[in-house]
């Protein structure tokens, strides 16, 4: 059930420098040489480079000024020791990361991930994706990403608090509302953001609301931030379907994951009349023929920090819990991967195509492998890349920073309206850019090129940075 940590051979063969133009192949070879063993980072860079040939032809100044090389190299990489003590007094040592990737458009911005799989290559791939994503939002936010190989699963609140305090004891010196503004990601939700903010405030003696986003509503958080990534992905999917004169109403939808992104993806898809059949975690998935009961799922996941297996036990006859196979085996019209990277591989893509899928849109970051993306695109499936489709989360973080700067707080409806408009604008920008460069309907090329152009033009204007 859980996606392989190893990149399969077929996937590796798919991304060889020889498949790129000579200029781009040389850039990619340098990335491979300088970042050994960072397979997810290589994958993320390759996925962008393979769409850039036309833009480099149209904008030779990007090549002359080594713009793409500069975009592929983080501005700063921070790694640090995080020692902490568990409830029984045992000492643990984890590793913390913050990759400050690009600040041409604003302060570094991007989430923190706490998961045992976290390593430098994963944080760098996430930071690299964030460069394009944040540019696509049209807001003044640069790109960063961070986290730790700490596993919050099964830890008490006080253990999580002690870990967060130790993590922030080092990280705080690199942060600031005008410098670097983290948020949540896998394993980092409202509880962790609270502990991190409390420690930052003690260490700096400053009430600096704009230093973290995803805060509680009573102390500087924004309405809709919790819902934003999932809602945003559904809104992006709707725009892709509308561009093909289709709708979400009555569609059968498969969602993976059962965390923040998955839950609010299900909520929005149901509100727009879709029938959501599934959710999952790393141990198995649920198929609920009556449609996922969101109140029950929220109670288990948000209230009790439980597993999806508990859902099947409490839901009754309509739901079954499956531990072998993949959620992508369930026939659907729309698939919304919302768990983690590389969870939807080439075989899964073929299964989806055979079952008649019409749209796949990434709530998670890079959940679809490059070979799977190729299968979906060649089959004419509308495909929304995470850089564009899940940008609603960081966009609403940008709106949270704006409210913090104004010492204001907006209503739910007003904030959701802003999110909806941003997602429509991102869709339009990807769609139009893809057409302009001769790839109609290709949102991957559209997102990469539109994101690159905004960052690259800012970097050009700012001199050799
Ligand atoms: P959560 O920690 O809230 O939930 C993660 C979900 O994915 C859980 O159901 C988890 O199951 C599952 N999962 C994690 N790792 C694996 C794995 N190796 N195999 C199978 N399932 C797995 O994280 P989020 O919902 O916040 O994030 C989900 C994805 O969305 C990530 O890719 C993240 O980078 C991306 N994203 C998140 C944003 C946000 O605002 N939160 C913004 C943009 C993108 P289990 O409990 O078993 O681990």
């Amino acid at each position: 059930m859980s996606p392989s940590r190893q990149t399969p051979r077929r996937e590796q063969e798919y991304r060889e420098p020889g498949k790129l133009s000579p200029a781009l192949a040389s850039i990619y070879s340098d990335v491979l040489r300088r970042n050994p063993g960072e397979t997810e980072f290589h994958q993320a860079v390759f996925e962008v480079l393979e769409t850039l040939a036309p833009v480099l032809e149209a904008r030779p100044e990007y090549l002359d000024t080594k713009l793409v090389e500069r975009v592929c190299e983080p501005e700063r990489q921070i790694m640090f020791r995080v020692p902490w003590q568990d409830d029984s007094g045992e000492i643990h040592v984890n590793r913390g990361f913050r990759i400050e990737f690009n600040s041409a458009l604003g302060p570094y911005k991007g989430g923190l991930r706490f998961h045992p799989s976290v390593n430098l290559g994963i944080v760098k791939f996430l930071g690299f994706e964030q460069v394009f994503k944040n540019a696509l939002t049209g807001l003044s936010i640069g790109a960063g990403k961070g986290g730790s190989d700490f596993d919050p699963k099964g830890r008490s609140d006080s253990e999580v608090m002690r870990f967060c305090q130790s993590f922030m004891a080092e990280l705080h010196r690199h942060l600031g509302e005008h410098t670097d503004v983290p948020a949540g990601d896998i394993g980092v939700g409202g509880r962790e953001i609270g502990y991190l903010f409390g420690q930052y405030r003690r260490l700096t003696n400053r009430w600096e609301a704009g230093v973290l986003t995803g805060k509680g509503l009573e102390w500087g958080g924004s309405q809709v931030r919790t819902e934003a990534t999932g809602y945003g992905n559904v809104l992006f999917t709707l725009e892709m379907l509308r561009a093909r004169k289709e709708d979400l109403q009555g569609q059968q939808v498969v969602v993976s994951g059962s965390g923040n992104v998955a839950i609010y993806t299900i909520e929005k898809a149901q509100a727009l009349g879709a029938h959501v059949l599934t959710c999952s975690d790393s141990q198995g998935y649920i198929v609920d023929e009556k449609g996922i009961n969101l109140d029950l799922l929220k109670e288990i996941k948000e209230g009790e920090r439980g597993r999806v297996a508990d859902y099947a036990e409490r839901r009754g006859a309509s739901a079954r819990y499956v531990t072998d196979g993949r959620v992508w085996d369930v026939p659907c019209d729309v698939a919304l991967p919302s768990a983690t990277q590389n969870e939807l591989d080439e075989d899964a893509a073929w299964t989806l195509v055979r079952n008649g899928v019409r749209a796949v849109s990434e709530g998670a970051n890079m959940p679809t492998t490059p070979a799977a993306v190729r299968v979906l695109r060649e089959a004419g499936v509308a495909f929304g890349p995470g850089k564009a489709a899940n940008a609603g989360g960081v966009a609403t973080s940008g709106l949270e920073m704006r409210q913090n700067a104004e010492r204001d707080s907006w209503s739910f409806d007003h904030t959701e309206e802003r999110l909806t408009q941003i997602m429509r604008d991102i869709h339009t920008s990807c769609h139009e850019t893809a057409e302009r460069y001769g790839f109609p309907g290709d949102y991957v090329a559209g997102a990469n090129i539109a994101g690159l152009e905004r960052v690259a033009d800012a970097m050009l204007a700012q001199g050799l940075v």
Side-chain angles (χ1 to χ4, degrees), residues 2-3 5 113 115 126 133 153 185-187 225 229 257-261 280-282 301 307 338-340 363-365 390:
S2 104
R5 300 255 184 276
R113 175 177 293 191
H115 192 273
L126 290 164
K133 183 187 309 193
K153 229 177 269 158
D185 190 79
I186 290 180
R225 177 61 190 90
T229 308
S258 53
N260 170 266
V261 176
S280 70
D281 60 27
S282 53
K301 295 299 300 184
R307 316 293 302 156
S338 310
T340 194
N365 284 311
N390 71 36

Side-chain angles (χ1 to χ4, degrees), residues 144-211:
K145 199 83 190 190
S148 173
D149 56 0
F150 169 71
D151 188 358
K153 229 177 269 158
R155 292 288 172 197
S156 68
D157 285 353
S158 39
E159 288 174 325
V160 171
M161 181 180 73
R162 283 197 294 280
F163 175 81
C164 288
Q165 290 178 340
S166 180
F167 185 84
M168 189 52 93
E170 170 59 31
L171 189 66
H172 82 280
R173 64 187 96 249
H174 307 288
L175 306 185
E177 62 180 326
H178 301 297
T179 310
D180 187 347
V181 183
D185 190 79
I186 290 180
V188 178
R191 173 182 62 170
E192 291 75 15
I193 294 291
Y195 296 149
L196 291 164
F197 186 78
Q199 183 72 347
Y200 181 86
R201 192 169 56 71
R202 288 177 76 201
L203 291 166
T204 58
N205 193 27
R206 280 163 67 87
W207 177 269
E208 194 183 331
V211 74

